[in-house]
Amino acid sequence: MKYYILFGPPGAGKGTQAGAMVARYNLCHLSTGELLRSEIAAGSELGLKAKSLIEAGELVPDEVVEGMIEAKFKSVKGVGGFLLDGFPRTIAQAEALDKMLAKTEESVTACISIMIPDPLIQERIAHRAQIEGRADDAKPEVVQNRIRTYHAKTEALIDFYKAAGKYQEIDGVGTIEEVQKRIFAQMDQD
Ligand code: ADP
């Protein structure tokens, strides 16, 4: 099984690119943001706990997302691998992922990192707020906090995957098609 991590700051275009990636390589798309939003919509206990954190631009606890991901690894069948979107987001989550995969003698295939500069992050999220209506996109101070959280807790993963020889950076500036071509050129070699 292939285990791809789709990495990048909020608004880098992960969700946009994921659809074409899973179709081309027969992967299951696992977005922790989407999984959490559906828990919130369903009004589950987990959703209730996650809601206020997400709406403040904070991360939900590591164990919560780790549990969701491991459950999917066990239950999803008939795919060639997984595309992890929004996970891992902390070093602790990355270490937990390595441990999970080691149980079945597997490992992360590659971390595909879509990079865009901070001003473009804000522009893209402001645009998405008008289209998708996500609560955490609507308030500029929440978006700011997500960018801060990204730099403080998530960006360290770049060095983590570089050290593992698994870091593949893609320039996220350009049209959707341009970025897609760059990603495919990379994944065709993995
Ligand atoms: P974006 O890609 O725009 O940052 P996501 O949809 O991936 O948004 O995530 C939305 C929110 O869900 C995050 O700001 C965070 O509160 C929560 N979340 C998603 N994935 C994780 C994770 N791996 N660990 C902790 N919190 C997470």
Side-chain angles (χ1 to χ4, degrees):
M1 293 281 259
K2 300 261 193 197
Y3 293 90
Y4 281 106
I5 295 162
L6 185 54
F7 185 82
K14 294 174 299 230
T16 305
Q17 296 296 340
M21 296 165 79
V22 299
R24 184 173 165 111
Y25 302 99
N26 183 32
L27 306 171
C28 169
H29 180 208
L30 288 185
S31 157
T32 41
E34 271 172 31
L35 291 170
L36 289 166
R37 282 189 289 278
S38 55
E39 293 284 344
I40 293 173
S44 70
E45 197 179 321
L46 194 160
L48 281 177
K49 274 193 213 148
K51 189 170 190 286
S52 52
L53 289 166
I54 291 178
E55 288 179 0
E58 301 290 333
L59 298 180
V60 305
D62 290 335
E63 317 79 67
V64 172
V65 282
E66 288 161 14
M68 291 193 320
I69 290 287
E70 189 157 32
K72 289 286 181 187
F73 284 167
K74 287 183 180 153
S75 63
V76 175
K77 308 279 180 226
V79 293
F82 291 88
L83 182 65
L84 304 177
D85 170 0
F87 177 89
R89 243 182 171 92
T90 62
I91 297 281
Q93 289 176 19
E95 287 168 349
L97 174 62
D98 282 346
K99 276 198 197 127
M100 258 179 239
L101 297 180
K103 288 182 198 164
T104 47
E105 286 171 23
E106 293 178 289
S107 60
V108 169
T109 306
C111 172
I112 298 180
S113 173
I114 308 180
M115 275 303 135
I116 59 167
D118 276 8
L120 195 57
I121 299 180
Q122 278 150 320
E123 201 180 297
R124 294 238 184 118
I125 292 181
H127 177 68
R128 181 170 77 189
Q130 292 169 347
I131 300 169
E132 293 182 15
R134 268 173 55 174
D136 60 344
D137 283 347
K139 294 195 192 122
E141 64 272 23
V142 172
V143 173
Q144 272 305 334
N145 197 30
R146 281 160 59 204
I147 297 172
R148 253 199 313 275
T149 304
Y150 169 78
H151 288 305
K153 297 190 172 154
T154 307
E155 204 167 36
L157 290 172
I158 295 175
D159 284 337
F160 182 92
Y161 287 110
K162 272 187 185 164
K166 294 184 174 176
Y167 185 75
Q168 302 174 349
E169 191 161 298
I170 308 283
D171 177 5
V173 183
T175 66
I176 293 175
E177 291 72 25
E178 282 164 354
V179 177
Q180 188 183 96
K181 262 197 205 145
R182 291 174 201 146
I183 294 174
F184 287 172
Q186 179 64 60
M187 288 175 86
D188 283 347
Q189 292 174 33
D190 290 331

